[in-house]
Amino acid sequence: MQRRQREEDMWTEQIKKERQFEELEQLFSKTKRAQENVLHLFQDAWQGNRSQQRLGMVEEKMTEEWQKRNKQIFVVDDALKKSRREHQREQFASKGAGTHATD
């Protein structure tokens, strides 16, 4: 009974992590769209050389922020994959142990 509960808890945790990752991906997509919209607004609002300089600075800042968020997503994704692999290994080991115990 404890083993079953532990497996259920592990699956619950795995699902929770996957949902968090999906939420991060959605936020990341929204941020990227917002960045593109802001850049278009600046481009439309400002004309000339000075506007291009400002637009370049804004774009650099937004790109830096986007890169930070992208790295965070990769870290979460890697952790999720690692967790999934560990869970699969534990399941395989527990199935193997159960098979040997009945032999």
Side-chain angles (χ1 to χ4, degrees):
M1 190 57 132
Q2 281 182 335
R3 186 173 143 230
R4 184 186 242 347
Q5 182 64 38
R6 196 176 99 220
E7 285 181 14
E8 287 178 10
D9 290 344
M10 288 171 58
W11 276 112
T12 301
E13 185 65 26
Q14 187 70 23
I15 290 169
K16 181 181 173 185
K17 288 179 183 179
E18 288 179 14
R19 285 186 182 150
Q20 288 174 335
F21 182 72
E22 289 170 1
E23 289 174 10
L24 277 174
E25 284 182 319
Q26 289 173 356
L27 287 172
F28 181 72
S29 295
K30 286 180 184 178
T31 303
K32 188 65 176 165
R33 282 193 300 272
Q35 174 188 1
E36 291 169 0
N37 289 337
V38 168
L39 290 175
H40 287 292
L41 288 173
F42 267 99
Q43 194 170 23
D44 290 345
W46 295 87
Q47 298 297 323
N49 189 31
R50 186 172 176 198
S51 68
Q52 291 299 320
Q53 290 173 345
R54 286 182 185 237
L55 184 61
M57 290 184 334
V58 169
E59 188 173 12
E60 282 180 33
K61 285 286 188 187
M62 293 180 87
T63 300
E64 288 173 13
E65 191 65 30
W66 179 81
Q67 289 172 344
K68 285 182 201 175
R69 299 292 177 241
N70 200 21
K71 287 178 184 178
Q72 289 174 338
I73 285 177
F74 285 128
V75 167
V76 171
D77 186 41
D78 289 343
L80 189 60
K81 287 177 184 176
K82 181 180 176 183
S83 174
R84 190 177 291 142
R85 283 191 300 266
E86 287 174 11
H87 179 71
Q88 288 173 344
R89 270 190 231 116
E90 287 177 10
Q91 270 192 321
F92 182 74
S94 68
K95 285 180 183 178
T99 303
H100 294 299
T102 58
D103 287 344

